[in-house]
Amino acid sequence: MIDIIKKLFLSDEGATAVEYGLILALIALTAIVAITGVANQTVGMWNDVANQVTEVS
């Protein structure tokens, strides 16, 4: 029983999975922030276009 517990504590497979999970979460968070920023700029650009078209009409 003690050997099983020692193997469990000495194994680094779980730590690697956690590290990959953290990296994936960081990448996902960065992508969401970037997409949100671009989306806000795009909406603002199209609102400006709509306002200019309305003024000309």
Side-chain angles (χ1 to χ4, degrees):
M1 182 70 168
I2 294 176
D3 290 335
I4 294 172
I5 295 173
K6 282 183 183 179
K7 287 180 184 178
L8 180 64
F9 280 109
L10 294 176
S11 175
D12 62 352
E13 291 177 7
T16 303
V18 170
E19 290 169 356
Y20 283 133
L22 290 172
I23 291 169
L24 183 62
L26 182 62
I27 291 170
L29 181 63
T30 304
I32 290 170
V33 168
I35 290 170
T36 302
V38 170
N40 289 337
Q41 289 179 351
T42 303
V43 167
M45 179 189 69
W46 286 113
N47 285 336
D48 290 343
V49 170
N51 290 336
Q52 290 178 3
V53 169
T54 305
E55 290 174 2
V56 172
S57 298

